[in-house]
Amino acid sequence: MQLILDNLAWIIIIVALGFQFMWMFVVRKARNNYVRDITHFREPSGTLSKYYGWRVSSIGRAVSESLVVNLLAIAAVVIYAVIADSLYVVMELLPLILLIMVVAVVGAVLVARRVQNLIKAKRRVEQRLEDAEYLIEGARSIIDELLTSDSDSKGRVWFALFQIAQRQDKMGWSVRDTILEKEDEIAERSGREKAELEAADEGPGIET
């Protein structure tokens, strides 16, 4: 019996981890699709892209989604254990299942914190734009700061700006136009720097 319990414990761990890794892959793909859409100023159209937009729009949604997924993983583990042997084995492995539940709760808390940080960043950007005398100037100021900043939070601010650029109002249009304007400036500056680098790389000319 102990051998069965040991083997089943490993199987449960593998099943739970496999489910988690599979879902992490789905979420990562959804995030990439969503980011690709908003950075090209497109409305999220694909199923995964729409799902990720729904997920990051509310802390409650993020937490509930995470808990539901983890509960499904636990349910799958329990069902597998029952099918594989008996309910007695499930009771014997209850501490392991409880540990998986604790990990699930911790994961939900971490997801909630990440979404909360994104929402806070978006609110701060919106507040700065609302406080600015002109929306365009406010957007330029924020983007100029991002281009010269090494802050760890700049990714969240960019994310917020592209989300705001989806809005069909003056704020959204102003942010979108400013991003496009800055993209042209960055591309032009990068082109000049590349040309200068190539010229410098040629070395001194040989006079004959």
Side-chain angles (χ1 to χ4, degrees):
M1 177 61 73
Q2 185 60 43
L3 180 60
I4 294 175
L5 287 173
D6 290 342
N7 290 337
L8 196 55
W10 279 109
I11 292 173
I12 286 176
I13 292 172
I14 292 171
V15 169
L17 289 177
F19 192 93
Q20 289 292 333
F21 280 119
M22 181 184 69
W23 188 251
M24 285 171 59
F25 173 79
V26 171
V27 171
R28 183 175 293 274
K29 183 171 178 58
R31 183 194 65 185
N32 292 341
N33 290 354
Y34 180 76
V35 170
R36 188 181 304 112
D37 281 339
I38 65 173
T39 52
H40 287 82
F41 306 107
R42 297 192 302 257
E43 283 289 333
S45 54
T47 302
L48 290 179
S49 183
K50 288 181 178 178
Y51 150 72
Y52 194 80
W54 172 87
R55 184 180 193 256
V56 298
S57 63
S58 164
I59 297 174
R61 289 177 179 178
V63 172
S64 60
E65 175 262 349
S66 181
L67 288 176
V68 167
V69 169
N70 283 289
L71 287 174
L72 287 175
I74 294 169
V77 167
V78 173
I79 291 171
Y80 180 85
V82 171
I83 293 174
D85 201 277
S86 67
L87 190 60
Y88 169 77
V89 175
V90 176
M91 297 305 296
E92 288 291 323
L93 294 173
L94 188 59
L96 178 59
I97 295 173
L98 290 175
L99 176 61
I100 295 173
M101 291 180 66
V102 170
V103 172
V105 171
V106 172
V109 171
L110 293 176
V111 168
R113 286 189 61 184
R114 286 196 294 269
V115 173
Q116 183 182 37
N117 288 335
L118 291 175
I119 292 174
K120 283 183 176 179
K122 185 178 179 181
R123 287 175 180 168
R124 285 195 296 267
V125 171
E126 288 174 335
Q127 188 61 51
R128 282 192 60 178
L129 291 171
E130 289 172 359
D131 293 342
E133 185 175 359
Y134 300 103
L135 288 171
I136 289 286
E137 292 301 324
R140 282 176 182 164
S141 175
I142 294 171
I143 293 174
D144 286 338
E145 289 177 10
L146 287 173
L147 293 175
T148 57
S149 171
D150 293 326
S151 172
D152 293 336
S153 63
K154 64 185 299 184
R156 291 192 291 269
V157 179
W158 277 116
F159 190 84
L161 284 170
F162 279 106
Q163 280 189 314
I164 294 170
Q166 296 293 308
R167 292 171 48 167
Q168 298 301 312
D169 57 17
K170 289 183 179 180
M171 182 179 290
W173 299 328
S174 298
V175 171
R176 183 165 60 250
D177 290 345
T178 306
I179 291 175
L180 290 172
E181 173 190 301
K182 290 296 181 180
E183 282 182 348
D184 292 339
E185 289 182 12
I186 293 169
E188 183 180 350
R189 183 172 58 189
S190 298
R192 287 199 306 267
E193 291 175 353
K194 182 179 179 182
E196 291 172 359
L197 182 61
E198 289 175 348
D201 194 45
E202 291 176 357
I206 300 177
E207 297 182 2
T208 58

